[in-house]
Amino acid sequence: MAVKRVPSDMDVVTAARQRIKNVFSNGVPVYLSFSGGKDSIVLADLVYKLIQAGEIDASLLTVLFIDEEAIFDCIEATTKMWRKRFLLAGAKFQWWCIEVKHFSCLNELSSDETFVCWDRRKRDVWVRQPPPFAIRNHPQLRPRVDNYQSFLPRVTGDGIMITGVRAAESIQRLQYMAALNMGAKGITGTNTIYPIYDWRTTDVWLYLRDQRMEVPEVYLQMYQVGVNRNQLRVSQFFSVDTVPVLVHLGEYDPNLMERVLRREPNAYLAVMYWDSEMFHRTTKKRRELEGEDKKDYRALLKDMLLIHPGDFFNTPHKKDVAKQYRKLFIRMDGMARPRDYRKMYEGLVAGDPKLRTLRAIYQDISCAYAAYAKNFRKGGEANG
């Protein structure tokens, strides 16, 4: 069973600092993944202050920022500030503006499921212009084919990557990190360390407050329009887990929303159809809009995955995702509950490019079935 936090006399800040020092003690290159969001700012500040204190060697450090083009202007400004700090401290800072692809949940209705950052064919509608110091290409990059997860290991293979990913962000991340702690190989096979993996969201905000740190103003803007503090995430706008920012973007930054719509016309779908199965929503508003749910999700899945898959999955990516869902459906059929079939169906409809929803469903069914079997055995022993 995955456990988020182990009781210890050491607080999370001290533990994170020690993990960072352990990484640098190896004497190999260290790569810090920076996004401009709250978690990466915390990790950057921990590293920066250890450099200032003379406890780690800045010459070993390279900070990596993958500029995804469709980002908030304040994230760009924040990243420029941190770039200056690290360069003055003696570290290297690489700002990448390259043609890498992302899965776009806004294009589910078409055969084009990708958003290519800095697409040379759409230069006239770029959301932003790249800074003059940005890296625009690399011999080991396959433009328009690679995503940044597949590209970065080619340029960081000689060292250790540290990133601000936290287990509390999602059950999938918790399960993955629990597997790492039990000795499993990383999914990507990369040498990646997560110094703040056990921080809660409250730990992050408390650190930012106590250290009097400047954070991108978009966090306050999102909170003011009603975004839950646990959902305050900033990234490029078109992936399935970050598209919620588009719902209110027009309220607090209409200029940016206009640029986003020019770049990706389907962005309006998030505003119009947010509370629907298209975005895997389970809100009260959706229930009010759609009325009583009488769908037979098991029958719908059977039709999609086993009887007429060609009618629903018409691209290589969709076929690959459907293949994994088909395995889950066959393996768990009979064990799954009605709500599990619904989650499978809506995962396929909304898109599940990284199979995060699928893994969560598998975990949920397995745990529920294990609990049922345990109670059944206890009942049998009592009757015996």
Side-chain angles (χ1 to χ4, degrees):
M1 178 180 178
V3 179
K4 290 185 180 181
R5 299 164 70 85
V6 179
S8 171
D9 294 333
M10 184 180 294
D11 64 84
V12 291
V13 177
T14 303
R17 288 176 180 145
Q18 187 58 54
R19 292 166 190 150
I20 294 167
K21 288 191 286 186
N22 290 345
V23 170
F24 278 84
S25 69
N26 291 281
V28 299
V30 178
Y31 298 92
L32 166 61
S33 176
F34 186 82
S35 69
K38 63 184 187 305
D39 298 337
S40 71
I41 290 175
V42 165
L43 181 56
D45 190 67
L46 289 168
V47 172
Y48 179 71
K49 286 177 178 172
L50 286 172
I51 292 174
Q52 287 185 312
E55 297 187 54
I56 58 176
D57 185 357
S59 67
L60 295 175
L61 178 64
T62 301
V63 183
L64 305 173
F65 175 61
I66 305 297
D67 188 332
E68 299 172 297
E69 182 203 333
I71 64 174
F72 292 100
D73 297 325
C74 59
I75 294 294
E76 178 181 8
T78 297
T79 305
K80 286 181 176 178
M81 178 185 69
W82 278 101
R83 174 180 178 268
K84 182 177 181 180
R85 286 181 180 175
F86 277 115
L87 290 176
L88 290 174
K92 295 176 284 294
F93 196 109
Q94 297 179 354
W95 189 307
W96 297 85
C97 292
I98 50 179
E99 288 184 295
V100 288
K101 68 177 184 179
H102 289 281
F103 174 83
S104 173
C105 67
L106 298 172
N107 292 328
E108 273 288 291
L109 302 180
S110 69
S111 60
D112 177 17
E113 300 174 282
T114 60
F115 171 80
V116 178
C117 301
W118 306 108
D119 190 340
R120 72 190 74 172
R121 302 170 187 173
K122 298 182 179 181
R123 186 185 298 268
D124 57 329
V125 291
W126 282 349
V127 177
R128 300 167 30 256
Q129 293 298 311
F133 48 77
I135 302 171
R136 301 303 311 283
N137 209 337
H138 191 276
Q140 292 180 282
L141 172 70
R142 296 177 299 171
R144 310 178 64 82
V145 175
D146 289 329
N147 55 32
Y148 72 85
Q149 293 94 337
S150 62
F151 166 68
L152 279 183
R154 298 178 200 147
V155 296
T156 62
D158 60 338
I160 301 173
M161 174 80 77
I162 57 174
T163 180
V165 170
R166 295 183 295 112
E169 288 283 271
S170 70
I171 184 63
Q172 292 83 10
R173 288 181 175 180
L174 174 60
Q175 293 162 5
Y176 173 46
M177 290 176 183
L180 291 181
N181 288 337
M182 291 186 288
K185 292 183 178 180
I187 292 172
T188 61
T190 58
N191 296 325
T192 303
I193 304 296
Y194 310 95
I196 63 170
Y197 81 94
D198 52 352
W199 288 39
R200 298 167 298 191
T201 301
T202 50
D203 294 327
V204 171
W205 288 114
L206 183 62
Y207 181 89
L208 293 170
R209 187 201 69 178
D210 289 349
Q211 300 299 316
R212 299 178 180 274
M213 297 185 62
E214 182 179 342
V215 296
E217 62 180 348
V218 64
Y219 283 113
L220 177 59
Q221 293 169 334
M222 293 169 68
Y223 187 71
Q224 287 175 329
V225 297
V227 178
N228 187 289
R229 67 180 181 180
N230 292 324
Q231 302 298 320
L232 296 175
R233 301 181 64 186
V234 295
S235 180
Q236 63 91 13
F237 306 137
F238 310 129
S239 63
V240 68
D241 53 349
T242 57
V243 73
V245 300
L246 293 177
V247 178
H248 300 290
L249 181 59
E251 297 179 47
Y252 54 81
D253 198 336
N255 177 270
L256 178 57
M257 187 62 178
E258 183 180 342
R259 285 181 279 146
V260 168
L261 286 169
R262 187 168 64 246
R263 177 69 165 90
E264 178 50 81
N266 283 342
Y268 79 94
L269 293 172
V271 180
M272 295 186 65
Y273 303 108
W274 178 234
D275 286 288
S276 72
E277 69 178 18
M278 181 177 183
F279 294 104
H280 203 174
R281 299 285 286 165
T282 56
T283 59
K284 178 181 178 181
K285 185 175 181 180
R286 177 184 168 185
R287 292 193 294 271
E288 293 173 348
L289 290 171
E290 297 182 0
E292 184 181 356
D293 187 357
K294 297 181 179 180
K295 294 179 182 177
D296 184 341
Y297 289 101
R298 182 181 180 278
L300 290 170
L301 281 168
K302 186 176 180 181
D303 184 56
M304 292 175 73
L305 296 172
L306 303 177
I307 301 175
H308 300 110
D311 294 344
F312 300 96
F313 313 110
N314 56 1
T315 68
H317 171 74
K318 288 181 180 178
K319 290 176 182 177
D320 287 342
V321 172
K323 180 180 179 180
Q324 299 306 316
Y325 270 81
R326 189 178 302 115
K327 290 179 181 178
L328 176 67
F329 179 76
I330 294 172
R331 183 174 181 179
M332 296 296 187
D333 196 25
M335 297 168 58
R337 300 153 294 182
R339 71 181 188 185
D340 299 319
Y341 291 120
R342 174 174 176 167
K343 289 178 182 177
M344 289 186 220
Y345 172 79
E346 296 195 334
L348 285 168
V349 171
D352 190 12
K354 298 180 181 179
L355 299 178
R356 289 174 176 171
T357 301
L358 181 142
R359 292 194 295 271
I361 295 170
Y362 178 84
Q363 176 82 357
D364 197 19
I365 296 174
S366 298
C367 290
Y369 187 76
Y372 168 79
K374 183 178 180 180
N375 291 333
F376 181 81
R377 287 195 298 269
K378 285 183 176 180
E381 291 170 0
N383 292 332

